[in-house]
Amino acid sequence: MMAVLPISDESIRQAAQLLFRGGIVAFPTETVYGLGADAFNPAALARVFAVKNRPRFDPLIVHIAALEMLETIADLSLLDTAAQKNLAALAAHFWPGPLTLIVPKRDRVPDLATSGLPTVAVRFPAHDAARRLIAAATGAVAAPSANPFGYLSPTRAEHVAEMLGAQVDLILDGGPSSVGLESTVLDLCHGNPRILRPGGTPKEAIEALIGPVLPDTAADTAAADTNAGLVSPGLLQSHYAPHACLVAHNTESLYREPGETGAAFLFFDGASRDAWLSAHANPAGITLAVLSETGTLLEAAAQLFELLHALDRPDITRIHAQLAPEEGLGAAINDRLRKAEGK
Ligand code: AMP
Ligand code: MG
């Protein structure tokens, strides 16, 4: 039977025991809630794929809780000198935190974790409970987001309980995720560093440290309608989607949108909501929500999945969402909104 337990020494010990025995445990991180399995246990990894209904071609992120663990799962000698330098700088600056690095994998990492790729995605999360759990287990916990594949990511234990419930052995409840968006995924294995997925570490911050990185857009276009030859499955076009039909609008098209009964509006900031309200006087039967009253990207990111979960009610059939400014965390917010569109 599934249990939801608050964070304590005892619940973390229990969760680590479950991981040692091949169990799967949902746990909080600063990005979103993860569905964790021992990264070295193929049977446990297979359960993660099954419970999420995640395609086997979509590799998992391996979470570590100490920098020394990196060398036990990654063969860094296979990186060229520039990549080694970038890795050292990025790890020193952004870890622990919402940045996932793609590095060459060691044989001991099961192929299931990496979907057969010779590389592995590694992250060192900042969340205290996540780190204590990983350290109390084998030191390497593979964890995708704790949601059914393609659906909204969970930023609360309640989201996990609703979406996966009894299929999970234990849910650790650490309250809402502070970043609220998945990690930025950065590939260091194929020449110039490339962002495979925008996320909680802004591109601008990465570039300030290591210089220009390639954007995710080129690969995005190449991957458009097919899974074949996908560089990274985070590039799938439909992802992070609510049950309701979501439409992503720029500010001008949002102001023109009158809405209809059963519609919800998700504004980026309070000023946009007020401007829309002054153009559309009578919003009866329409639900309004705002990512950040003051238009702060940090707050908007933290609220994105939270509000999309709240708006994904049976009586709401369409969500009109306003894109954020395309800078900093706004790029990651917009990536999620675009991929959530039109399901
Ligand atoms: P999630 O676990 O749902 O946050 O997604 C993790 C994402 O990281 C995957 O969907 C991939 O896009 C990316 N990823 C994981 N491992 C690799 C890898 N070895 N090479 C490229 N991308 C990866
Ligand atoms: Mg996910």
Side-chain angles (χ1 to χ4, degrees), residues 262-289:
F265 281 74
L266 181 57
F267 296 97
F268 173 67
D269 57 4
S272 298
R273 176 206 49 219
D274 295 345
W276 184 87
L277 273 173
S278 62
H280 305 277
N282 182 14
I286 294 180
T287 306
L288 306 183

Side-chain angles (χ1 to χ4, degrees), residues 104-274:
K105 94 174 184 74
R106 286 199 189 275
D107 289 343
R108 63 191 296 239
V109 179
D111 284 332
L112 197 50
T114 65
S115 300
L117 293 171
T119 57
V120 60
V122 186
R123 187 166 95 83
F124 184 166
H127 195 286
D128 179 65
R131 286 158 62 175
R132 282 158 64 198
L133 172 63
I134 296 161
T138 59
V141 173
S145 47
N147 55 334
F149 183 73
Y151 189 61
L152 296 173
S153 294
T155 53
R156 289 177 182 275
E158 291 87 338
H159 298 156
V160 183
E162 272 162 33
M163 295 188 291
L164 300 178
Q167 303 179 84
V168 179
D169 297 321
L170 176 64
I171 300 173
L172 289 177
D173 186 353
S177 295
S178 60
V179 175
L181 285 177
E182 294 83 352
S183 58
T184 301
V185 178
L186 186 72
D187 182 9
L188 295 175
C189 294
H190 301 92
N192 289 332
R194 179 189 291 280
I195 291 186
L196 300 180
R197 173 178 74 186
T201 300
K203 178 181 179 212
E204 293 88 336
I206 294 171
E207 292 191 323
L209 188 72
I210 63 168
V213 299
L214 301 172
D216 63 319
T217 43
D220 234 353
T221 320
D225 284 315
T226 168
N227 300 333
L230 221 53
V231 184
S232 180
L235 308 175
L236 278 177
Q237 290 300 294
S238 176
H239 218 107
Y240 315 111
H243 294 113
C245 176
L246 186 142
V247 188
H249 293 268
N250 61 33
T251 303
E252 293 71 45
S253 86
L254 189 78
Y255 287 170
R256 283 198 302 274
E257 174 59 55
E260 63 280 329
T261 305
F265 281 74
L266 181 57
F267 296 97
F268 173 67
D269 57 4
S272 298
R273 176 206 49 219
D274 295 345

Side-chain angles (χ1 to χ4, degrees), residues 26-51:
F27 63 100
T29 81
E30 72 276 22
T31 59
V32 303
Y33 274 68
L35 180 59
D38 176 9
F40 305 120
N41 183 334
L45 298 174
R47 255 190 89 197
V48 168
F49 280 94
V51 163

